[in-house]
Amino acid sequence: MPRIYEMSPHLADLIAAGEVVERPASVVKELTENSVDAGARFITVEIAAGGMALVRVTDDGCGIAPEDVETAFLRHATSKLRREEELAAIGTLGFRGEALAAIASVSKIELRTRERGAAEGVCLTLEAGVKRDKAPVGTPEGTTIAVRDLFYNTPARQKFMKNDRAESAAVASAVTRLALSHPEISVRYVRDGKEELHTPGDGRLQSAAYCALGRDFARGLLEAQNKMDAIAVSGYVSTPAAARGNRSWQFFFINGRFIKSKLLQAAVEQAYKNSLFTGRFPVCLLNVELPLGAVDVNVHPTKLEVRFADERAVFDAVYWAVRGALEREDGPAELPISQSTLRAAGLPDPKKLPGAPLFAPEKPGFSSAKSAPSGNFFRHVPAQGQGKPFKPALPEFELRESVRMPDQSSIPLPEQPRPIPSKAPEPVPDPAPAPRRDWRYVGEALNTYVLVERGESLFLIDKHAAHERMLFDKLKSRPHEPTGQLLLSPVICDVDGETAGVLLENANLLTDLGFELDDFGDGAIAIRAVPLDMDLSDPAGTLEEIAGKLKTGGKRDVEAMRDDVLHTVACKAAIKAGKRSDPRELTALVDKVLSGEVRYCPHGRPVSLELTRSQLDRSFKRA
Ligand code: ADP
Ligand code: MG
C-alpha cells in the first residue's frame, strides 16, 4: 500500500487554484467581489495582455490592517465568517477564504492597502504565495491588488489560455456582471490603457445597463417588478421584438450576486411563451432579493450556482414579474438617464430618442401569492386516459376575486359550452353596436396592410398576423370547450399512412381542440369538424402540417404540442394576406391592435407599425 501524507499548504493552494482561478477573468471576479464586500463605492479594473501580464483592481473600500495583510493570503483565512451558524445566512459575496491564497499561489502579487482613517498604508509583495517584502507605504484609503504573470509557475495551466482577445472578452463580461449587479458602485474598466467602461454608480440598474450593454439594448427594456411574500424581484426584460439569438444577455442576480440558474431561465422563458420565435431568447436583468437563509450559496466553488429552499416560490415570483412587464408593455421606452451617465458612457442625449417613459405605473393588486403555469420544472400533466378527453395541466392556484389575472390565454376560465353551428363564416368578429372609435380606416395597401389613422399617427397593421394572434388567444382561452365547426359534409383527404397514423394516435388531443377526424382507411382521413372555421382549401396539406408538428412534438410536453397545433389552426383560419378584405371585417381587429391587446403574432412578429406625423414630416424634410 502507498503511504498517506497530508498535503503541503502550497500543494493544497495549487489544487484550490485549479478550481477557483481558471483564467484572468476569475481573478477579476474574485478581486472585485472582495472590493464589493469591503464596501467600495468605486472599483477600477485594469488589465494588460488579456490579464495574463497584469490584473489590477483598485477600490476605496475599508482597507486591510497592516497586521492582517499576510493572513489574508492564507488558505481559509477570512473576515466574513466565524461560526458554523453563519454559513446558513451569508450576506457577503466571499466567505470561503480561499481566493487570495489561490491567486497568490499562481502569480506575483503586490498589495497596497490603507484602512480608512489610518495615517499610512502597507505594501506587501508575494511570489507563488511566498512573502517577498512588506513595508509601510503612502497610498490612498482602500486597497489595490496587482496580480502579475498569472500561471507563470504552472506552465501546464498557461497552455490552456486562449489569446489575449478571448481572455479580455471574458474579463469584460466579468466586469459587466459586476457593474450590473451593483449599480450603486462606479465601475471602471481599462484594457491596455484604454477605458472601455465607466458606470456612474448612481444606484440605477438602467444607467449601468445603458453603459455596459449599450443604448440600443437599453431602449428595448421593460421594467419588471414583483413582490411575493419575502421574495422581491426587480429589473428589466426585453420586449419580444428585442429578443436575441442566444441567452448570453440573460443576467440573474440573487441578493446582488451574479448566478447561473436553469430555474430562473425557465421562469423567464415560460413567461414569453407564444411571444417568441423558436430559437429567440429574451434578454433580462433580474435581481431576486430573498432572505439570506432561503438560499444556499455554498454549493459551487466559484459560487456561480445556488440552491433555493423553495424553488417553486422563486419560479413563481420571477414568472409573474416578467408577465407583468410584458402585460404593461406600451412601446419602446425612453430611458430616464442622468447627464452624468451619458458623460460616463460617452453617449449622446437619449432624450432625442422617441418613446414613452420607461416606468409604467404599477398595476395595483398584481403581486399576490399565486402559482405560475410552469415549465418542465413543475409540470404535472394528468394521465391521458383512452377515450377520456384530455384536460390540460392547470396551474395549481385558486383565483382570488381581487386578483386580476395577467394572462387570459394561459388560464382556462369556465365558460358555457358553445353550440356548434353548421357553418357560420366568421372571418373577423365585428362587435355590435359599434362604439365610437377614435381612429379612421384609411385603406388597405398591397392587400396585406391595413392603414389606419389615429391622432397624429398612421398605423400599418399586418392583418393576417393580427388576426392569427386573436384567433390563437381565443383558442387558448377555452381549452375545455369544443371549438369545432361541424362541416356540412365530411371532407375526405388522402394523406400518407404515417400522417394518418400520427393523427389517429393523437385523436384525443385533436378532439379536444375541436377536430373530428375519422379513419377512412387506406391512408385517407375524413374530416367532420374543424376548430373555428379553418380554411380547408388544402385539407391534406393542413393535416400533414399538423401531423408534422405532432410527430416532432413527441418528446415535448403536451402543452407545447397543443400550442403548435393551435398555431396551425389560427394561421389557417386567419384572413389571408394577398386577399382584399371588407373594411367592416377589419374593425374589431383594428380595435384590438390599437388598444394594445394584440401586439405580436404567435411566432413573435410584430403586428403593427406606427408612423408618427413628426417621423413623416422629418422624412419629407418638413420639420
Ligand atoms: P473571502 O473573500 O472568501 O473572505 P479572500 O481570500 O477573497 O476570502 O479574502 C480574504 C480576506 O482578505 C477577506 O475576508 C477580507 O477580509 C480581506 N480582503 C481581501 N480583499 C480585500 C479588499 N479589497 N478590501 C478589504 N479587505 C480585503
Ligand atoms: Mg473573496
Side-chain angles (χ1 to χ4, degrees):
M1 284 292 281
R3 299 294 311 275
I4 302 173
Y5 301 92
E6 201 176 345
M7 273 183 201
S8 74
H10 180 64
L11 185 56
D13 285 344
L14 280 178
I15 290 171
E19 270 184 338
V20 180
V21 193
E22 195 195 333
R23 58 197 301 189
S26 354
V27 174
V28 169
K29 173 182 181 289
E30 294 295 340
L31 295 186
T32 56
E33 284 188 359
N34 283 343
S35 299
V36 173
D37 286 342
R41 307 282 314 168
F42 296 92
I43 300 178
T44 299
V45 177
E46 295 163 275
I47 66 163
M52 294 301 295
L54 170 73
V55 170
R56 181 162 48 214
V57 173
T58 304
D59 68 52
D60 65 340
C62 63
I64 308 174
E67 59 274 24
D68 281 349
V69 286
E70 288 102 331
T71 317
F73 288 92
L74 295 180
R75 188 129 189 261
H76 303 312
T78 181
S79 56
K80 303 169 193 173
L81 195 64
R82 271 175 194 268
R83 296 192 319 273
E84 185 183 329
E85 310 85 77
E86 291 168 6
L87 202 51
I90 291 165
T92 49
L93 294 175
F95 56 88
R96 299 169 65 102
E98 56 188 9
L100 288 188
I103 296 167
S105 71
V106 290
S107 67
K108 300 171 187 166
I109 289 209
E110 184 187 291
L111 162 80
R112 285 163 175 265
T113 184
R114 176 154 72 99
E115 283 187 288
R116 284 185 189 150
E120 62 177 6
V122 61
C123 175
L124 174 77
T125 53
L126 304 109
E127 272 178 38
V130 179
K131 177 173 150 186
R132 289 282 171 236
D133 197 22
K134 181 180 176 185
V137 72
T139 183
E141 286 179 356
T143 303
T144 298
I145 299 186
V147 177
R148 293 196 167 81
D149 301 333
L150 188 63
F151 301 133
Y152 80 101
N153 55 342
T154 52
R157 193 86 200 187
Q158 215 165 17
K159 277 207 287 258
F160 282 100
M161 290 306 109
K162 308 218 174 79
N163 58 29
D164 288 4
R165 183 135 41 86
E167 295 305 331
S168 299
V171 169
S173 40
V175 175
T176 298
R177 292 164 181 180
L178 165 72
L180 295 175
S181 54
H182 290 280
E184 77 286 3
I185 298 177
S186 172
V187 176
R188 204 169 143 248
Y189 170 45
V190 178
R191 177 168 70 99
D192 296 319
K194 192 170 154 276
E195 185 177 281
E196 304 245 314
L197 174 75
H198 193 173
T199 63
D202 62 3
R204 287 143 45 123
L205 178 57
Q206 69 270 31
S207 309
Y210 193 100
C211 296
L213 306 175
R215 182 183 69 182
D216 287 346
F217 164 75
R219 282 176 66 190
L221 291 183
L222 306 167
E223 195 189 10
Q225 289 261 6
N226 189 20
K227 192 160 187 328
M228 280 185 179
D229 301 326
I231 306 175
V233 181
S234 62
Y236 295 90
V237 296
S238 60
T239 58
R244 290 164 62 93
N246 59 49
R247 294 192 173 96
S248 62
W249 279 13
Q250 294 188 346
F251 297 95
F252 297 106
F253 308 100
I254 301 295
N255 297 338
R257 178 194 303 278
F258 172 84
I259 57 145
K260 300 218 179 264
S261 166
K262 289 252 186 302
L263 179 84
L264 301 190
Q265 179 186 308
V268 168
E269 290 177 10
Q270 184 75 16
Y272 279 82
K273 216 161 157 249
N274 296 318
S275 306
L276 288 178
F277 276 119
T278 331
R280 303 294 292 170
F281 301 96
V283 175
C284 64
L285 307 167
L286 290 174
N287 186 29
V288 181
E289 293 284 337
L290 72 180
L292 298 178
V295 53
D296 186 356
V297 293
N298 188 24
V299 294
H300 195 271
T302 61
K303 300 160 286 181
L304 259 180
E305 285 165 28
V306 297
R307 202 179 292 133
F308 299 105
D310 186 350
E311 292 201 332
R312 171 95 224 185
V314 176
F315 182 100
D316 286 351
V318 170
Y319 173 88
W320 288 112
V322 179
R323 284 312 302 250
L326 295 173
E327 276 272 300
R328 288 192 302 256
E329 181 198 344
D330 54 0
E334 179 177 343
L335 288 167
I337 298 265
S338 64
Q339 286 304 312
S340 63
T341 312
L342 297 175
R343 274 196 304 278
L347 290 165
D349 184 353
K351 292 220 177 67
K352 299 197 178 107
L353 311 172
L358 186 58
F359 298 102
E362 271 270 69
K363 260 187 200 165
F366 180 70
S367 55
S368 110
K370 51 187 183 294
S371 300
S374 50
N376 295 333
F377 280 88
F378 307 108
R379 188 172 295 286
H380 306 289
V381 180
Q384 204 178 329
Q386 273 308 110
K388 197 165 136 259
F390 165 72
K391 295 266 184 269
L394 279 182
E396 318 138 339
F397 62 84
E398 284 175 33
L399 270 176
R400 291 208 200 136
E401 290 227 313
S402 61
V403 174
R404 184 183 169 284
M405 297 318 299
D407 179 22
Q408 302 292 323
S409 66
S410 60
I411 293 134
L413 297 171
E415 231 184 72
Q416 292 302 312
R418 245 174 36 138
I420 299 181
S422 53
K423 182 75 189 159
E426 183 205 24
V428 182
D430 194 347
R436 267 186 70 82
R437 303 207 148 81
D438 61 349
W439 53 265
R440 188 175 73 84
Y441 176 81
V442 179
E444 191 178 332
L446 310 171
N447 290 342
T448 302
Y449 302 105
V450 182
L451 303 186
V452 175
E453 178 191 313
R454 185 177 68 178
E456 289 290 280
S457 288
L458 176 70
F459 291 84
L460 283 88
I461 298 171
D462 179 332
K463 65 177 180 181
H464 172 76
H467 194 204
E468 192 179 345
R469 177 76 214 196
M470 280 168 64
L471 295 178
F472 179 76
D473 286 349
K474 184 169 157 185
L475 286 161
K476 282 269 295 184
S477 70
R478 53 179 85 208
H480 286 319
E481 314 304 334
T483 51
Q485 312 275 349
L486 263 189
L487 304 182
L488 280 180
S489 54
V491 175
I492 312 297
C493 55
D494 289 315
V495 289
D496 60 87
E498 195 191 355
T499 299
V502 172
L503 294 172
L504 296 169
E505 263 167 43
N506 289 282
N508 279 354
L509 187 149
L510 293 170
T511 308
D512 190 52
L513 297 178
F515 283 98
E516 247 182 64
L517 306 177
D518 280 337
D519 187 1
F520 212 67
D522 282 342
I525 294 277
I527 309 178
R528 298 189 191 282
V530 292
L532 305 169
D533 32 278
M534 262 178 63
D535 173 25
L536 278 178
S537 53
D538 174 22
T542 303
L543 290 187
E544 269 156 21
E545 190 177 322
I546 290 172
K549 290 186 168 173
L550 292 170
K551 233 185 321 185
T552 50
K555 290 189 200 69
R556 289 171 303 137
D557 57 88
V558 181
E559 187 75 13
M561 272 162 65
R562 289 168 57 86
D563 281 359
D564 271 357
V565 174
L566 292 183
H567 283 164
T568 304
V569 172
C571 181
K572 298 284 172 192
I575 42 174
K576 299 281 167 300
K579 273 196 206 145
R580 196 160 197 83
S581 308
D582 183 333
R584 283 168 306 177
E585 285 182 350
L586 300 169
T587 309
L589 185 138
V590 174
D591 275 342
K592 292 235 177 209
V593 172
L594 293 189
S595 73
E597 212 178 301
V598 169
R599 290 200 188 90
Y600 298 95
C601 83
H603 312 285
R605 282 191 295 268
V607 301
S608 77
L609 174 73
E610 178 178 358
L611 292 171
T612 62
R613 175 186 288 279
S614 55
Q615 280 170 319
L616 290 166
D617 285 352
R618 239 179 290 132
S619 311
F620 288 100
K621 310 267 180 260
R622 275 168 160 273

